[in-house]
Amino acid sequence: MLGRIIDVFDRRLKFKEDFKKNVLDHPVPQRINLTYCFGGISFLLYMLLAATGIAMIFFYVPSVDHAFVTVEYITFDLPLGNILRGIHHWSANIMIVVLFLHMLRVYVYGAYKNPREFNWITGVVLFAFVLAFGFTGYLLPWDQKAYWATKVGVLMPQSAPVAGPFISKLLMGGDQLGALTISRFYAVHVAVLPIITVVFLVGHFLMIRRTGIAEPL
Ligand code: HEM
């Protein structure tokens, strides 16, 4: 059935041949090993995070009064909600470890050197985005741990000279952690970061296509 649907499109758009040439027959270095999978696994985890995150958007309410109860609802009452939240939570944690391994592979194999410097730079930016996902997501359950941990985090920049107090205030949306903090963190977590991350991922992947994957040492 699926094959026939694909054929209907392929007879008109002729994408099967391109797919074979560009994806299945794409040359990769000969002595490639398992450490080359960490980038792909990071991407898979990102997709899992996006899918489970989108599913939770339908039930989570980002307000001081509702955040905690809606997270409780997702965890204890929503059918398969605990699995949904669990996959989101563990994918986020595992992604940090896998990304670290990906960076380690790139570093040890010297794959950050000419002509791949820009790939390393987009990678560093992506890593910062992933950490920002973690920081903004941590507040969303609005429980004691989330509140106090985020309070420490947003007050940290305050001790930096000149722009420090402004940055703290910008993050909190005022002088206290409250309604504006949660809506800002939510907006950054579900809209700003996903969009800019996808832009950088596209750049990362296009550059890999252009330069090819680095040979093992
Ligand atoms: C969401 C984050 C990221 C994803 C999904 C991702 C994905 C990938 C994929 C699929 C590859 C192809 C080869 C491989 O898998 O090893 C790759 C290559 C590369 N990545 Fe990443 N990456 C991410 C973050 C990073 C970070 C944090 C760095 C370094 C700071 C980085 C630097 C590079 C470089 C330099 C290459 C080229 C390596 C080569 O040609 O052998 N990436 N990335």
Side-chain angles (χ1 to χ4, degrees), residues 48-49 52-53 56 83-92 189:
L48 261 181
L49 282 160
T52 50
M56 285 196 287
I83 296 193
L84 199 65
R85 191 174 167 215
I87 293 177
H88 199 77
H89 174 90
W90 285 109
S91 303
H189 192 78

Side-chain angles (χ1 to χ4, degrees), residues 29 35-44 46 95 99-100 102-107 109-113 116-128 130 197 201 204-205 207-208 211-215:
T35 62
Y36 280 76
C37 294
F38 293 129
I41 297 172
S42 307
F43 184 60
L44 185 76
Y46 186 72
M95 189 167 175
L99 266 183
F100 178 76
H102 175 52
M103 280 163 76
L104 197 66
R105 193 286 286 173
V106 170
Y107 181 74
Y109 282 60
Y112 57 88
K113 292 180 189 168
R116 298 182 180 80
E117 300 97 322
F118 291 124
N119 230 338
W120 177 265
I121 293 166
T122 49
V124 172
V125 176
L126 280 168
F127 194 60
V130 171
T197 302
L201 276 178
H204 203 64
F205 294 154
M207 281 190 274
I208 294 165
T211 56
I213 292 175
E215 289 277 341

Side-chain angles (χ1 to χ4, degrees), residues 62-112:
S63 78
V64 172
D65 291 338
H66 298 100
F68 183 73
V69 277
T70 48
V71 169
E72 292 275 284
Y73 173 78
I74 293 172
T75 315
F76 299 112
D77 298 319
L78 183 72
L80 300 180
N82 55 349
I83 296 193
L84 199 65
R85 191 174 167 215
I87 293 177
H88 199 77
H89 174 90
W90 285 109
S91 303
N93 282 283
I94 295 169
M95 189 167 175
I96 304 284
V97 178
V98 175
L99 266 183
F100 178 76
L101 294 173
H102 175 52
M103 280 163 76
L104 197 66
R105 193 286 286 173
V106 170
Y107 181 74
V108 169
Y109 282 60
Y112 57 88

Side-chain angles (χ1 to χ4, degrees), residues 144-191:
Q144 288 290 324
K145 202 166 63 161
Y147 182 91
W148 294 108
T150 306
K151 185 143 196 161
V152 173
V154 292
L155 288 179
M156 260 182 207
Q158 220 168 30
S159 46
V162 194
F166 171 75
I167 295 171
S168 276
K169 212 166 174 171
L170 187 77
L171 288 171
M172 280 193 282
D175 294 322
Q176 289 293 326
L177 230 64
L180 264 183
T181 326
I182 204 166
S183 50
R184 277 182 193 194
F185 273 50
Y186 183 66
V188 171
H189 192 78
V190 307

